[in-house]
Amino acid sequence: MVQLSQWAAETHVPVIQFLLRVVAAENLDEAEKAAKELNIQATDDQVASFWRGAAWARNAPNPYLVTPLKEILDNEIYARGIMDPIRFDVESGRTIQILRGDSMVTVTVGGENGPTPLSRLSETLDRRFRLRLSSWIPDDFKIALHDVVLKRLKPSLVYDETASAAGLEERRQELRLRLQTIGLNALMVTRGSIITPNILDMLQEEERVFQEKQDRSLAAVRFVGNFLLFAGIALSMVIFFRVAERDRIGFPYSRLFVVAAFCLLVVWSGYLLVLHEIPGTMLPIGLMLGIITLGTNTRSAIFLAAITSICGLILFDGRADIMMGHLGAGLFFVSAAARCRRRMPLLLVSAGSGLIGAVAFVAWNFARGNLQNLFSIAASLSLSRDDTVNPIVAAGGFVLNWSICGMLVILLIPVAERCFRVTTRIALQDLLASEHPLLKRLIVEAPGTFHHCTIVATLAEAAAAAIGADTLRARVGGLFHDIGKLKKPEYFTENEFGVSRHERLNPYMSALLIINHVLDGAEMARAIGLPYVVADMALQHHGDSLMKFFYYKACQQVPPGTVVAKESFLYPGPKPQTREAGVL
């Protein structure tokens, strides 16, 4: 195994040094000189792509270029190891041990955490660079970085034949000591003989094998049935999101994976409840619905309430009363929680949802005539999933379950926002307070910009309401969309007093100053920890449009017939990716 220090010296240290020198380069010649001195195998076109793309990260090369590159190579490529493609094919499916420093790690070749073959590194690097590097960095820069890094990578895992042979022999000796063979119709113990611990172990193992053979066919049938049911549910989720959300401009289909992950979490927790014989009334559907309702939209949450309720019906052997209870609680919770902008009302909504679920659960049992143990004290103490449990007492599990889920939703809102890149309405509501540090700075340092943002927020909120978009998200985005002007507020017309400073500047410099407020705004939003949607609105609110005033001014200053390139007067983009950003 190649040590980390050697890996870094041969791979990304020269590349990082090259990137830092390109960022600081004043012209293309300096970038080409750096490539030659650091032995970077790049073509002239690739060096030019590096030089042009590095300009977008000139203010902060470490967080936008260096840190993502080191994390991708050290934490993902190096940690898993690189294997020769031929060796990878031979070892595929086998369990191997990898020596990492002083520790030994056991992985499966071809598995999720196993080594990566050299032949697949290109695809892996391309995907990780596009995901981890900022969206405003040009694609040709990412492609050039991919090609340069790929040329420096080589297999880092070496097969140790001696240690492997010793480990296999040790395992064989261990198996010889533990393995016993019992023939068909062999007598394991005679009447009157003493049952020793070894004989007891054999008898218990014989019982286990017998039960496995008896239950194997039934378990296989149930597994196939559950697989088909959950596959159908997953397919319905995909169809719903593609049909119901196809009219949404810039709909983030990654949200589908977030919702699917929560649905699978409910299914997994349901299996744990079944394993420990805990009533299905404790299925934590409220936890998933709380995050989905606050972070996405009510349509998605209502659909998931129905889907997870059906999952409860499947997991708990067709218990329709459990399904009806969770469905009633879920529908009430989604409709009420969608209007919550504070934390305390959410607790009341979750408790009320549990009460609605309990009523639906009891009503279903009443309709079935399941009243034989209605007042049984013994049944009230049982945690069995049997139908004879007191429905009144079992219904109390709904109230307890949904109340706990409401408290957990409030605690997990910041974690969910970070992990799944969603923004809840509660978090957005907190940003409307004028005590926010950035809004305070706008009031003092750029009062004209603050007034402009306030008017834009009001207009955006009204426009979002007219088209059925998220009004709260539009208003918050309007308040913070121009925070980048805090870097140089005096260069923007709403903060000018007297003669404009642009009268003394050439149009190229003026355009650069104006364009930078978009990039500065997104950088400030991320640095202070504003939600992703707010930072994206700060970056996207001009799209890739042309700054016409300074472009026409530049055209007037050149000799007739000279063509002025528009690239210097275009905002970096991207175009708005959501309806709220488009309105803004």
Side-chain angles (χ1 to χ4, degrees), residues 225-470:
N226 284 334
F227 175 80
L228 293 176
L229 286 172
F230 287 123
I233 290 173
L235 179 61
S236 65
M237 289 172 57
V238 173
I239 295 174
F240 170 81
F241 277 93
R242 291 188 64 86
V243 173
E245 308 290 354
R246 63 185 177 186
D247 59 328
R248 298 281 298 276
I249 299 176
F251 173 74
Y253 282 101
S254 60
R255 182 179 299 170
L256 174 62
F257 297 101
V258 176
V259 177
F262 275 98
C263 186
L264 292 176
L265 178 63
V266 172
V267 173
W268 176 74
S269 61
Y271 274 114
L272 290 182
L273 295 182
V274 172
L275 181 63
H276 294 88
E277 295 189 353
I278 299 175
T281 55
M282 301 302 294
L283 193 64
I285 293 178
L287 178 61
M288 178 272 297
L289 285 184
I291 300 298
I292 297 300
T293 302
L294 297 176
T296 58
N297 55 57
T298 55
R299 285 195 299 181
S300 303
I302 289 175
F303 179 76
L304 261 296
I307 288 295
T308 50
S309 299
I310 295 175
C311 290
L313 176 69
I314 298 172
L315 290 170
F316 293 93
D317 298 328
R319 288 287 300 273
D321 52 352
I322 292 177
M323 181 192 72
M324 294 303 298
H326 283 301
L327 182 60
L331 294 179
F332 175 81
F333 181 86
V334 171
S335 60
R339 299 178 176 86
C340 290
R341 295 191 177 187
R342 302 292 180 187
R343 289 169 173 80
M344 187 55 66
L346 187 61
L347 289 177
L348 300 177
V349 167
S350 59
S353 302
L355 185 60
I356 296 293
V359 171
F361 178 83
V362 172
W364 181 269
N365 280 279
F366 279 6
R368 292 181 59 202
N370 185 21
L371 308 177
Q372 62 270 27
N373 286 325
L374 187 58
F375 302 104
S376 172
I377 297 178
S380 68
L381 300 177
S382 175
L383 286 179
S384 170
R385 294 182 290 113
D386 190 83
D387 283 339
T388 60
V389 175
N390 185 345
I392 298 292
V393 176
F398 277 100
V399 180
L400 177 63
N401 173 28
W402 282 80
S403 299
I404 294 175
C405 285
M407 291 185 287
L408 291 177
V409 166
I410 294 176
L411 294 176
L412 294 177
I413 282 176
V415 178
E417 289 180 334
R418 291 290 181 184
C419 294
F420 296 101
R421 293 183 66 89
V422 297
T423 304
T424 64
R425 298 180 66 83
I426 291 178
L428 290 176
Q429 183 67 33
D430 293 340
L431 295 177
L432 290 179
S434 58
E435 289 81 10
H436 193 280
L438 286 179
L439 295 182
K440 283 186 176 180
R441 286 188 59 190
L442 278 177
I443 294 174
V444 175
E445 302 175 26
T449 299
F450 176 76
H451 178 264
H452 161 73
C453 290
T454 304
I455 298 300
V456 168
T458 303
L459 294 174
E461 182 179 28
I467 65 172
D470 192 327

Side-chain angles (χ1 to χ4, degrees), residues 7-24 34-35 38-40 50 54 61-74 129 133 141 145 148-149 152:
W7 166 277
E10 294 178 357
T11 56
H12 58 273
V13 168
V15 177
I16 290 173
Q17 293 175 353
F18 171 68
L19 291 178
L20 293 176
R21 290 184 59 176
V22 170
V23 169
L38 295 172
N39 194 25
I40 300 297
F50 276 118
N62 283 317
Y64 291 132
L65 298 179
V66 176
T67 301
L69 179 60
K70 292 180 65 177
E71 290 178 352
I72 292 171
L73 294 177
D74 288 347
F129 283 166
L133 296 180
F141 178 92
L145 182 61
V148 168
V149 171
R152 309 186 74 89

Side-chain angles (χ1 to χ4, degrees), residues 471-486:
T471 57
L472 180 60
R473 185 173 296 185
R475 181 170 185 82
V476 173
L479 281 177
F480 288 88
H481 77 283
D482 267 347
I483 56 177
K485 294 180 180 180
L486 284 171

